[in-house]
Amino acid sequence: MTKTLHHRACHLCEAICGLNIEVSHEADGRARISSIKGDPQDPFSRGHICPKAVALQDIQEDPDRLRQPHRRIGGQWLPIGWDEAFELAAEQLWKVQQAHGRNAVAVYQGNPSVHNYGLMTHSNYFLGLLKTHNRFSATSVDQLPQHLTSHLMYGHGLLLPIPDIDHTDFMLILGANPLASNGSIMTVPDVQARFKALKGRGGRLVVVDPRRSETAAIADQHLFIRPGGDAALLAALLHTLFAEGLARGSHLPVNGLEQAREAMAPFDAEAMSVLCGIPGEDIRQLARDFAAADKAVCYGRMGVSTQAFGSLCHWLVQLINLVTGNLDREGGALCTEPAVDLVGTTSGGHFNQWQSRVSALPEYGGELPVSALAEEILEPGEGQVRALITVAGNPVLSTPNGRQLDEALANLDFMLSIDLYLNETTRHADLILPSTSALENDHYDSTFNLLAVRNVTRFNRAILAKPEGALHDWEIFVGLAKAFAARAQLELKAMLPPAQMIDLALRKGPRGEASSWALSLQALDQHPHGLDLGPLRPSLTGRLRTASQAVEAAPALLLADLQRLARQLPPEPDQLLLIGRRHVRSNNSWMHNYQRLVKGKPRHQLLMHPDDLNQRQLQDGQMVRVRSRTGVLEVEVQSSDEVMPGVVSLPHGYGHSRHGIRLQVAQAQPGASANDLTDECLRDAVSGNAALNGVPVQVGAA
Ligand SMILES: Nc1nc2c(c(=O)[nH]1)N[C@H]1C(S)=C(S)[C@@H](COP(=O)(O)OP(=O)(O)OC[C@H]3O[C@@H](n4cnc5c(=O)[nH]c(N)nc54)[C@H](O)[C@@H]3O)O[C@H]1N2
Ligand SMILES: Nc1nc2c(c(=O)[nH]1)N[C@H]1C(S)=C(S)[C@@H](COP(=O)(O)OP(=O)(O)OC[C@H]3O[C@@H](n4cnc5c(=O)[nH]c(N)nc54)[C@H](O)[C@@H]3O)O[C@H]1N2
Ligand code: SF4
Ligand SMILES: [Mo]
């Protein structure tokens, strides 16, 4: 037996940690991962690793993972060949579109679509041929308000300012728990060490969260906030900054600042205190502390995106950074300058050019909010969705009112899933096309380099050979595109493989042939541990894509939504609100099938404050019944003063007890799906993003 050592980044989450992976080669030619460790020579992650990295081996070896196309006939899954599978998919999809129009085929793209470069470069090669308006993705249960805000303020949905965590003196975090999530829209491997360094240089970390999360627990200050109360808090912070003369100028060209200032006038700290549950004096002090710091940054993520005021929250976050002079400034919030320049080479995005058929939800960047998917399948009429393609997603567990979607999927004429597993969603498919696994693939991180706290780049070569008869995701899309184009008599242009596309993008990009970096794939092969391109720098002035070439501080759409905030009523006493949480050993819905990750203390429970338990005469550890407008489930309750009174917390991605799935380890795990309680009618009014947090529920004994 021989062993080889490979350097390669993990791309299971956004942190892109460098790994040292040892592969053992048996005499008979078989190769097996023998160890996975952090790579201390990776200039970005510096040896950091989390427990999930070992999942790369577990995914590789999982006997439940599908390794060839499977067709469902009745209740039976039968393996079939690739050509037959492509023909079947093309025939069925074409049939549906011929009979019911192009929008009768819907598409849902899940989270790994941005963690796997072949999915990014090639999915549209096929999906674009369908020309359907019914495109959905995990974006609308996630960061949609951030793209929309950037689109409106900076003219491009990908001009996302990233917190300069390594240089700031004051970091205000709302609704993010990077100690569990490893950072999001802030690619930050080893976030704990970076927080430590922040404190070491005398900086402060303040966390606003309805739960004393792992991150809140290490913060200098934690403020409990009523779920959904962030827009009120942020508006009051801005009100204080303006009222007390704490606003500084910005070097950026800005339009609408005066309008924004006037718009904040009604939202004084005392009035907003009632809505967010934070005392007025604490709000004012927070504004003063933020303004007093030399370099400060306000950062909001999932907890403020997926709530009823998601877009308003993200606008107000941007405004706070802008008016304190911290936008596009070292130690504040800065845009990356990645080697593959998606901002420079794509359009700035579009919004509300069409709407969903049933609830008239707006499209953003060609996608509709996924909260509308089930009703588009269920509601009869012209344009009704009759066929669905899911790509690397599990919307039954990950989108609001998952039960309703589960039932809707059973009504489809045809469903195609491109996925590794037979899970809660893909069990409804007629055809599942599984791709190779991560380590059998090359990878370039065009998404997470764009979101990183330093400018970094690397190319990851596959470290395991592609098994005979297997196809990469991008090859599956090429196969589907060819079969569909033939059937629909469409002309299909040839397309380069992903590695060649990235090579071209690198060479033509801002750090390519025309620069001293001279980056190309070949050049990156000389840097197997990854290449650091330097700290983030102010760069926004020349890159703004608004028509005015200035930051738009007061977009009409967002200004108008302030009226909704002004009309918001104070919370009803005794109302319980449901929020979510993440654990470092889990990843959305698809990491529960690996024994090494699920072992240890259970973490699927509903967290509830002891006062709320007492009030309902419930005991720690008992089974409770949780009810919302959309559904009811039973789960163990855990008494915890981590959550504030009036708030219960349940992680999503659990509940693998539905029949017909093939996830043996996950099926044996306890837990219920939080999205059986979330409500497709609770949305951010501006973007249509799902409000997964702040869902009213009742809890009683089971
Ligand atoms: N209540 C609540 N709901 C939430 C959230 C929350 O905080 N609370 N979070 C939301 C967020 S942020 C997100 S991003 C979504 C995620 O929601 P989804 O993207 O819908 O679901 P995942 O659980 O990430 O499922 C990923 C799927 O991709 C498959 N897969 C993995 N790798 C590959 C690959 O390389 N190729 C292919 N073809 N398939 C692959 C897996 O088998 C799995 O089926 O969930 C959202 N849902
Ligand atoms: N271990 C692990 N890592 C992951 C994932 C995972 O599932 N597991 N998923 C990945 C994905 S797809 C994403 S998008 C990122 C997300 O990464 P983060 O944005 O860091 O998201 P969460 O860890 O869900 O943290 C959200 C926090 O918001 C709080 N919160 C809930 N409601 C409110 C509210 O109304 N106001 C405020 N202020 N806070 C609120 C919650 O209590 C929670 O602490 O994580 C990624 N990394
Ligand atoms: S934090 Fe964990 S899952 Fe995320 S990239 Fe690093 S090792 Fe992988
Ligand atoms: Mo996400």
Side-chain angles (χ1 to χ4, degrees):
M1 189 175 72
T2 57
K3 290 186 171 177
T4 50
L5 179 65
H6 304 261
H7 311 295
R8 146 129 205 176
C10 171
H11 41 95
L12 290 174
C13 88
E14 302 184 27
I16 53 175
C17 301
L19 303 176
N20 284 337
I21 304 182
E22 194 183 68
V23 179
S24 307
H25 306 267
E26 314 279 340
D28 64 4
R30 275 183 308 152
R32 192 175 175 273
I33 310 283
S34 42
S35 94
I36 298 182
K37 296 194 175 119
D39 178 2
Q41 284 172 271
D42 181 302
F44 192 35
S45 64
R46 306 176 294 202
H48 178 260
I49 187 169
C50 88
K52 277 192 300 295
V54 297
L56 288 169
Q57 177 180 3
D58 298 340
I59 297 167
Q60 192 61 35
E61 294 171 2
D62 190 351
D64 287 339
R65 181 160 65 86
L66 303 177
R67 292 164 200 262
Q68 66 187 100
H70 278 71
R71 177 180 189 182
R72 182 167 56 85
I73 298 180
Q76 288 275 66
W77 284 100
L78 305 172
I80 63 170
W82 284 108
D83 289 340
E84 194 189 343
F86 294 146
E87 280 308 314
L88 175 69
E91 178 199 328
Q92 293 298 317
L93 294 169
W94 179 238
K95 201 167 90 182
V96 168
Q97 286 199 322
Q98 282 292 88
H100 305 289
R102 53 185 204 185
N103 294 337
V105 175
V107 173
Y108 173 83
Q109 290 177 273
N111 169 270
S113 301
V114 291
H115 292 261
N116 169 333
Y117 86 145
L119 284 177
M120 291 203 294
T121 55
H122 280 67
S123 53
N124 238 11
Y125 190 53
F126 165 57
L127 299 173
L129 297 178
L130 300 168
K131 294 202 164 28
T132 172
H133 276 181
N134 280 313
R135 299 223 13 194
F136 304 87
S137 80
T139 293
S140 50
V141 280
D142 193 346
Q143 80 286 6
L144 171 58
Q146 285 175 266
H147 292 309
L148 179 59
T149 304
S150 284
H151 167 68
L152 296 173
M153 294 183 76
Y154 313 128
H156 199 296
L158 294 179
L159 277 173
L160 295 160
I162 307 301
D164 190 10
I165 186 171
D166 289 339
H167 304 105
T168 195
D169 303 321
F170 193 104
M171 190 158 176
L172 170 59
I173 298 186
L174 301 99
N177 183 15
L179 250 52
S181 69
N182 291 301
S184 185
I185 315 220
M186 173 175 72
T187 285
V188 55
D190 204 3
V191 69
Q192 199 155 7
R194 291 170 202 261
F195 281 142
K196 221 167 155 181
L198 163 69
K199 291 181 177 202
R201 57 180 185 266
R204 267 167 71 79
L205 173 64
V206 179
V207 173
V208 177
D209 199 301
R211 174 179 157 243
R212 190 171 58 255
S213 65
E214 291 80 352
T215 308
I218 63 150
D220 298 284
Q221 187 184 8
H222 168 218
L223 295 162
F224 278 116
I225 188 165
R226 197 178 90 84
D230 302 84
L233 167 66
L234 292 161
L237 289 173
L238 278 160
H239 175 99
T240 309
L241 291 171
F242 288 129
E244 299 191 2
L246 301 172
R248 285 185 236 166
S250 169
H251 65 280
L252 293 163
V254 182
N255 272 340
L257 199 55
E258 204 38 49
Q259 249 178 311
R261 173 202 293 270
E262 281 165 21
M264 295 307 142
F267 301 102
D268 69 87
E270 299 307 329
M272 293 300 99
S273 168
V274 186
L275 295 179
C276 66
I278 300 175
E281 189 44 39
D282 291 359
I283 299 177
R284 279 192 293 271
Q285 191 55 47
L286 181 57
R288 291 172 199 141
D289 292 347
F290 192 92
D294 179 24
K295 301 165 185 163
V297 64
C298 180
Y299 162 70
R301 246 325 258 135
M302 270 301 284
V304 294
S305 274
T306 52
Q307 55 150 288
F309 288 100
S311 297
L312 204 53
C313 282
H314 282 293
W315 172 46
L316 298 173
V317 164
Q318 299 304 314
L319 271 185
I320 288 177
N321 289 331
L322 175 71
V323 306
T324 55
N326 286 301
L327 179 67
D328 197 43
R329 173 165 179 255
E330 187 192 311
L334 292 158
C335 289
T336 56
E337 298 169 275
V340 169
D341 180 18
L342 296 181
V343 172
T345 54
T346 59
S347 94
H350 47 79
F351 178 64
N352 205 13
Q353 294 194 351
W354 63 86
Q355 295 80 31
S356 68
R357 177 181 61 108
V358 180
S359 290
L361 301 187
E363 89 31 79
Y364 171 80
E367 288 180 0
L368 293 166
V370 71
S371 288
L373 176 55
E375 66 187 17
E376 291 297 330
I377 299 171
L378 292 169
E379 179 78 21
E382 203 183 316
Q384 181 183 7
V385 169
R386 317 250 180 179
L388 175 68
I389 303 169
T390 69
V391 181
N394 191 2
V396 167
L397 291 196
S398 59
T399 66
N401 200 352
R403 277 282 164 200
Q404 184 195 33
L405 183 63
D406 199 1
E407 284 159 24
L409 297 185
N411 287 332
L412 292 167
D413 293 349
F414 180 70
M415 179 168 155
L416 163 67
S417 291
I418 296 149
D419 205 288
L420 310 174
Y421 286 101
L422 179 48
N423 63 22
E424 295 76 8
T425 297
T426 61
R427 71 185 177 129
H428 292 291
D430 298 284
L431 182 62
I432 307 183
L433 306 180
S435 58
T436 49
S437 74
L439 298 178
E440 294 160 352
N441 259 300
D442 300 333
H443 181 66
Y444 183 86
D445 242 304
S446 50
T447 310
F448 300 110
N449 290 338
L450 179 82
L451 306 176
V453 301
R454 287 185 71 85
N455 289 309
V456 289
T457 183
R458 77 184 291 157
F459 186 67
N460 297 280
R461 294 278 173 199
I463 66 175
L464 295 171
K466 186 164 90 167
E468 212 182 299
L471 293 183
H472 298 308
D473 278 297
W474 69 271
E475 294 173 311
I476 295 176
F477 284 110
V478 171
L480 287 168
K482 284 184 176 161
F484 188 83
R487 197 156 292 260
Q489 296 184 328
L490 296 169
E491 203 188 324
L492 194 62
K493 287 197 201 113
M495 187 135 169
L496 294 174
Q500 284 181 41
M501 289 171 76
I502 293 295
D503 186 44
L504 208 63
L506 284 168
R507 287 194 283 116
K508 300 288 167 219
R511 297 171 191 272
E513 283 154 354
S515 80
S516 57
W517 291 96
L519 293 186
S520 64
L521 277 199
Q522 211 184 1
L524 290 190
D525 276 337
Q526 307 305 309
H527 300 277
H529 304 283
L531 182 59
D532 184 58
L533 304 172
L536 304 187
R537 306 178 303 183
S539 69
L540 207 47
T541 309
R543 294 166 77 204
L544 290 166
R545 295 276 291 272
T546 48
S548 59
Q549 305 265 300
V551 172
E552 291 297 341
L557 209 58
L558 299 168
L559 267 185
D561 201 40
L562 280 174
Q563 298 311 314
R564 192 166 58 100
L565 178 63
R567 287 195 307 269
Q568 205 195 11
L569 298 172
E572 286 174 32
D574 300 334
Q575 177 62 73
L576 280 179
L577 296 175
L578 175 74
I579 61 169
R581 70 174 186 276
R582 287 176 156 76
H583 189 279
V584 73
R585 303 182 73 88
S586 179
N587 195 23
N588 297 325
S589 76
W590 72 289
M591 289 272 143
H592 297 145
N593 209 44
Y594 314 119
Q595 196 58 50
R596 288 194 284 188
L597 287 184
V598 295
K599 70 181 183 199
K601 253 178 37 186
R603 35 193 174 258
H604 62 279
Q605 299 97 325
L606 182 80
L607 303 184
M608 191 174 200
H609 192 274
D611 294 352
D612 287 326
L613 281 170
N614 283 340
Q615 212 183 343
R616 291 164 181 78
Q617 292 168 329
L618 297 170
Q619 308 292 324
D620 178 33
Q622 84 175 80
M623 289 299 286
V624 291
R625 184 167 295 160
V626 192
R627 192 182 293 278
S628 71
R629 182 192 76 84
T630 57
V632 53
L633 57 78
E634 293 189 1
V635 69
E636 255 170 280
V637 71
Q638 187 179 336
S639 174
S640 168
D641 67 1
E642 264 179 27
V643 286
M644 62 195 282
V647 172
V648 287
S649 157
L650 190 67
H652 74 289
Y654 284 84
H656 305 284
S657 59
R658 283 162 228 227
H659 69 85
I661 69 173
R662 195 181 297 170
L663 294 162
Q664 293 178 62
V665 177
Q667 281 168 290
Q669 303 305 311
S673 176
N675 286 315
D676 288 350
L677 296 171
T678 54
D679 188 335
E680 79 282 13
C681 297
L682 297 178
R683 296 180 298 258
D684 168 27
V686 179
S687 66
N689 202 44
L692 302 168
N693 287 300
V695 178
V697 292
Q698 295 103 45
V699 179

